[in-house]
C-alpha cells in the first residue's frame, strides 16, 4: 500500500521533475509521488497552486497540523470516486431518525467493545481492571435503550470515562497520570498523547474515506454541522482504543516516551517534535501491523481494516448487508 | 514488495532515468534506488523507463523482495538516502 510522509522540516514544497521536492535552506529532499498517498505537514512550509494541481492529479491528500500538533485542516483534492447513489443513500440514512440511530448505535457499540478488548488484554497481563470491565459491560446494554443521538453520545462518554479511569492502572507511571480527560489545552502529558494520537487517527481515516465513494461530510454519530468532515470522526471512534491507545501504552510501558518529550505552553502540556516523531513512528508501525481477518481468511493491516470498514458502510446504506463494526477479539 | 533498482545508462539519458526513478523510489546512491512498491507501481515504473531507454546501450537491473526479513541493509560511510524514512 502507498505510504504516508510526515514533513517536519521547513521550506518550500514544490513540484519538480514530475515529483514533489521539499527545498529547505541547505538541502533538497525528494518525495516519491507515485509511492505515497498522503502528506502530513507539521512544519512551516510554503506551497503554490501548481503543487496543489499536481497533488490533485496524483490524488495525494495533504493534512496540516499546527505548532501544537493539532489538526488544522486538509487539502482534500477533487473527489475522484463520485457516486450520486452513495451520497443519496448516505443522506437518506442521515435524515431518517431510525436509520441514523441504527448506524450511530453500531459506532458506539464498536467503540465500547474495543475498549473492553483493550482492558481485557491488560487484565490478562495482570492489571486489576475487573471493576472497570464490569462497569463498561453494563453500559453495553444501555446502547439499545438510548432513543436519541445525544443520549447515545452520553452512554459513549460515560463508558469512555470509566475506560480512561483504567489508564493509571495500566500505565502505572506517576509521570503519566491521567487525572481527568482535558483537551484544548491538554492538562497533562497523557492527555497530550491522547489528543495527538486521536488527531492523527482522524486524518488517517479521512484519507481512507477519500479512496472510497463515501462522502466524509455526512456523519451519523457526530452531528453534521458547520465543520466539514464528520464521518471520519465516527469511524475513528471504533479504532481509537485498538490503535491510538495501544500505541500509547506500548510507548509508555517500554519507556520510549519520557517526561522530557513534552513542554508547557499557554497553560497546557504539548508534545515536543522529538516526542511527536517517536509517536508517529510507533503509530505507523501499528497501522501496518497485520492481523488475521476471519471473513477474508487472510492477513490484513490495520490501515486496510479502516478501508474495509468503509466498504461495510457502503453495503449497509445500500441495504445489502447490515453493518457490524469491527471488534477486535482474540 | 521491496525493490532495488540499479541502472547503467548513456550519458544523455542518466538524468532522465534519475528523474523517473525518484518519482517512485528513494535515491540511495548514484544510479541506485530503493523502496517499497506495489506490483502495479513497479510495472508503471518499468514502462516509464522503457520509453526513454536505448535497449542497445542501457541496462537496468531490478531486484525485488517479497519481504524485508531475509536481508540486512548495512551502510558504510555516509548514508545518502534512507528508504525507510517516513520523516522529511
Amino acid at each position: 500500500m502507498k505510504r504516508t510522509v510526515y514533513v517536519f522540516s521547513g521550506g518550500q514544497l514544490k513540484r519538480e521533475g514530475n515529483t514533489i521536492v521539499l527545498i529547505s535552506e541547505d538541502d533538497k529532499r525528494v518525495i516519491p509521488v507515485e509511492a505515497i498517498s498522503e502528506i502530513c505537514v507539521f512544519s512551516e512550509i510554503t506551497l503554490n497552486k501548481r503543487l496543489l494541481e499536481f497533488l490533485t492529479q496524483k490524488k495525494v491528500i495533504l493534512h496540516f497540523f499546527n505548532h501544537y500538533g493539532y489538526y488544522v485542516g486538509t487539502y482534500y483534492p477533487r473527489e475522484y470516486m463520485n457516486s450520486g447513489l452513495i451520497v443519496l443513500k448516505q443522506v437518506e440514512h442521515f435524515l431518517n431518525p431510525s436509520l441514523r440511530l441504527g448506524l450511530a448505535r453500531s459506532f458506539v457499540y464498536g467503540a465500547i467493545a474495543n475498549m473492553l478488548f483493550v482492558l481485557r488484554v491488560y487484565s490478562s497481563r495482570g492489571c486489576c481492571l475487573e471493576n472497570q470491565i464490569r462497569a463498561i459491560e453494563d453500559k453495553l446494554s444501555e446502547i439499545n435503550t438510548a432513543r436519541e443521538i445525544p443520549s447515545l453520545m452520553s452512554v459513549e462518554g460515560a463508558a469512555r470515562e470509566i475506560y480512561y479511569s483504567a489508564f493509571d492502572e495500566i500505565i502505572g507511571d506517576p509521570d503519566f497520570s491521567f487525572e481527568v480527560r482535558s483537551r484544548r489545552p491538554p492538562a497533562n502529558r497523557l492527555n497530550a498523547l491522547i489528543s495527538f494520537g486521536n488527531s492523527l487517527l482522524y486524518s488517517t481515516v479521512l484519507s481512507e474515506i477519500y479512496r472510497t465513494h463515501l462522502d466524509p461530510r455526512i456523519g451519523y454519530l457526530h452531528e453534521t454541522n458547520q465543520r466539514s468532515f464528520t464521518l471520519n470522526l465516527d469511524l475513528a471512534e471504533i479504532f481509537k482504543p485498538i490503535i491510538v491507545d495501544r500505541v500509547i501504552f506500548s510507548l509508555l510501558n517500554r519507556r520510549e516516551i519520557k517526561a522530557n518529550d513534552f513542554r508547557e505552553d499557554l497553560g497546557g502540556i504539548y508534545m515536543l517534535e522529538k516526542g511527536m516523531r517517536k509517536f508517529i513512528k510507533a503509530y505507523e508501525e501499528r497501522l501496518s501491523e497485520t492481523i488475521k481477518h476471519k471473513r477474508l481468511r487472510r492477513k490484513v493491516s490495520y490501515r486496510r481494516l479502516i478501508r474495509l470498514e468503509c466498504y461495510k458502510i457502503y453495503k449497509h446504506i445500500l441495504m445489502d448487508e447490515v453493518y457490524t463494526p469491527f471488534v477486535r477479539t482474540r | 514488495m521491496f525493490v532495488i533498482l540499479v541502472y547503467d545508462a548513456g550519458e544523455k539519458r542518466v538524468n532522465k532515468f534519475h528523474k523517473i526513478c525518484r518519482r517512485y523510489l528513494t535515491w540511495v546512491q548514484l544510479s541506485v534506488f530503493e523502496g517499497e512498491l506495489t506490483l502495479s507501481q513497479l510495472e508503471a515504473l518499468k514502462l516509464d523507463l522503457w520509453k526513454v531507454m536505448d535497449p542497445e546501450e542501457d541496462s537496468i537491473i531490478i531486484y525485488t523482495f517479497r519481504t524485508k526479513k531475509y536481508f540486512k541493509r548495512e551502510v558504510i560511510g555516509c548514508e545518502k538516502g534512507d528508504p525507510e524514512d517516513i520523516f522529511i
Side-chain angles (χ1 to χ4, degrees):
Chain A
M1 253 175 130
K2 293 190 175 186
R3 62 195 179 94
T4 310
V5 162
Y6 295 86
V7 177
F8 273 103
S9 38
Q12 190 194 8
L13 204 59
K14 65 182 282 199
R15 173 183 186 169
E16 193 186 283
N18 268 335
T19 192
I20 308 165
V21 295
L22 180 77
I23 298 173
S24 41
E25 263 171 30
D26 40 2
D27 74 330
K28 184 162 115 182
R29 297 282 304 268
V30 186
I31 303 172
V33 69
E34 304 285 349
I36 59 165
S37 59
E38 60 200 305
I39 303 174
C40 295
V41 181
F42 289 84
S43 56
E44 284 304 317
I45 59 159
T46 56
L47 46 85
N48 53 19
K49 180 171 141 276
R50 268 184 31 233
L51 178 85
L52 297 179
E53 282 170 5
F54 186 57
L55 291 174
T56 306
Q57 187 195 332
K58 294 292 177 191
K59 303 181 182 72
V60 174
I61 195 167
L62 198 57
H63 299 293
F64 296 102
F65 295 84
N66 71 7
H67 179 61
Y68 301 103
Y70 275 134
Y71 174 74
V72 172
T74 300
Y75 174 66
Y76 196 74
R78 183 168 58 87
E79 303 245 10
Y80 70 105
M81 299 245 278
N82 293 311
S83 161
L85 178 66
I86 296 270
V87 175
L88 209 57
K89 291 286 181 187
Q90 263 187 279
V91 174
E92 192 188 332
H93 275 72
F94 181 82
L95 292 177
N96 181 324
S98 65
L99 290 179
R100 181 179 170 196
L101 193 65
L103 265 176
R105 269 187 189 139
S106 307
F107 293 135
V108 173
Y109 172 75
I112 297 183
N114 281 323
M115 288 178 214
L116 277 172
F117 171 77
V118 170
L119 293 187
R120 288 194 183 116
V121 166
Y122 285 94
S123 162
S124 71
R125 292 183 192 174
C127 296
C128 183
L129 302 168
E130 270 71 37
N131 291 340
Q132 280 96 342
I133 290 174
R134 214 166 303 127
I136 294 180
E137 278 169 345
D138 288 343
K139 290 282 163 203
L140 275 177
S141 58
E142 285 178 34
I143 297 175
N144 288 324
T145 52
R147 296 265 162 254
E148 301 97 35
I149 301 286
S151 54
L152 202 54
M153 286 190 93
S154 78
V155 173
E156 199 250 341
R160 203 168 280 277
E161 210 166 288
I162 305 168
Y163 169 68
Y164 282 138
S165 74
F167 275 36
D168 283 341
E169 172 71 25
I170 296 173
I171 294 162
D173 183 345
D175 274 352
F176 289 91
S177 61
F178 182 75
E179 293 148 25
V180 68
R181 178 76 179 114
S182 55
R183 347 175 149 77
R184 289 178 191 267
N188 57 40
R189 300 186 188 102
L190 191 56
N191 273 298
L193 281 172
I194 295 170
S195 292
F196 183 67
N198 287 348
S199 52
L200 279 182
L201 185 62
Y202 294 145
S203 64
T204 307
V205 177
L206 182 60
S207 304
E208 292 304 314
I209 293 175
Y210 179 61
R211 316 263 153 212
T212 70
H213 292 291
L214 291 173
D215 190 324
R217 288 167 294 193
I218 304 165
Y220 298 94
L221 177 61
H222 294 83
E223 200 69 42
T224 297
N225 51 18
Q226 295 306 321
R227 68 185 298 164
S228 37
F229 303 118
T230 46
L231 187 60
N232 62 330
L233 307 183
D234 287 0
L235 285 176
E237 290 298 332
I238 301 171
F239 292 99
K240 273 178 195 172
I242 45 175
I243 297 179
V244 176
D245 300 339
R246 294 292 302 271
V247 167
I248 294 173
F249 296 149
S250 64
L251 279 172
L252 294 181
N253 289 343
R254 281 186 270 140
R255 310 217 179 276
E256 280 182 41
I257 281 196
K258 294 187 205 74
N260 62 15
D261 287 318
F262 296 83
R263 77 193 141 91
E264 205 177 328
D265 199 345
L266 292 173
I269 304 280
Y270 297 95
M271 290 174 86
L272 286 167
E273 188 189 313
K274 57 175 182 164
M276 289 187 198
R277 280 172 184 258
K278 284 184 212 168
F279 192 97
I280 289 170
K281 199 154 177 293
Y283 174 77
E284 276 290 320
E285 278 165 18
R286 181 77 182 160
L287 281 180
S288 55
E289 202 176 286
T290 56
I291 56 167
K292 180 97 174 178
H293 192 286
K294 282 192 186 114
R295 254 180 94 178
L296 298 177
R297 294 210 201 106
R298 64 176 167 84
K299 289 191 156 188
V300 291
S301 67
Y302 277 97
R303 190 184 274 276
R304 174 61 72 181
L305 270 177
I306 298 173
R307 180 86 66 85
L308 293 174
E309 213 62 11
C310 298
Y311 296 151
K312 274 155 58 182
I313 294 195
Y314 275 18
K315 287 201 160 184
H316 181 90
I317 59 175
L318 295 174
M319 307 279 188
D320 272 352
E321 199 179 312
V322 177
Y323 172 70
T324 46
F326 173 77
V327 174
R328 184 93 162 82
T329 46
R330 290 252 164 201
Chain B
M1 67 183 106
F2 192 74
V3 176
I4 303 175
L5 185 146
V6 297
Y7 57 78
D8 251 354
E11 207 180 314
K12 275 185 181 162
R13 290 174 300 276
V14 272
N15 209 15
K16 285 183 183 168
F17 274 46
H18 179 88
K19 278 188 174 169
I20 291 169
C21 289
R22 69 176 193 174
R23 279 162 49 200
Y24 297 83
L25 298 163
T26 312
W27 184 59
V28 287
Q29 266 182 15
L30 294 172
S31 315
V32 183
F33 284 83
E34 282 178 35
E36 191 85 36
L37 290 184
T38 64
L39 194 61
S40 59
Q41 284 164 355
L42 181 63
E43 288 302 319
L45 169 60
K46 283 201 275 197
L47 196 67
D48 284 342
L49 288 171
W50 184 251
K51 282 180 197 154
V52 298
M53 80 181 290
D54 176 358
E56 303 283 293
E57 235 183 284
D58 306 338
S59 152
I60 302 169
I61 306 174
I62 300 171
Y63 304 88
T64 59
F65 303 86
R66 213 146 55 108
T67 87
K68 279 180 276 188
K69 279 181 186 149
Y70 300 107
F71 69 88
K72 204 177 115 204
R73 190 176 186 274
E74 194 177 337
V75 181
I76 298 163
C78 71
E79 172 129 50
K80 291 195 170 173
D82 179 6
E84 301 286 279
D85 203 7
I86 53 169
F87 300 109
I88 299 254

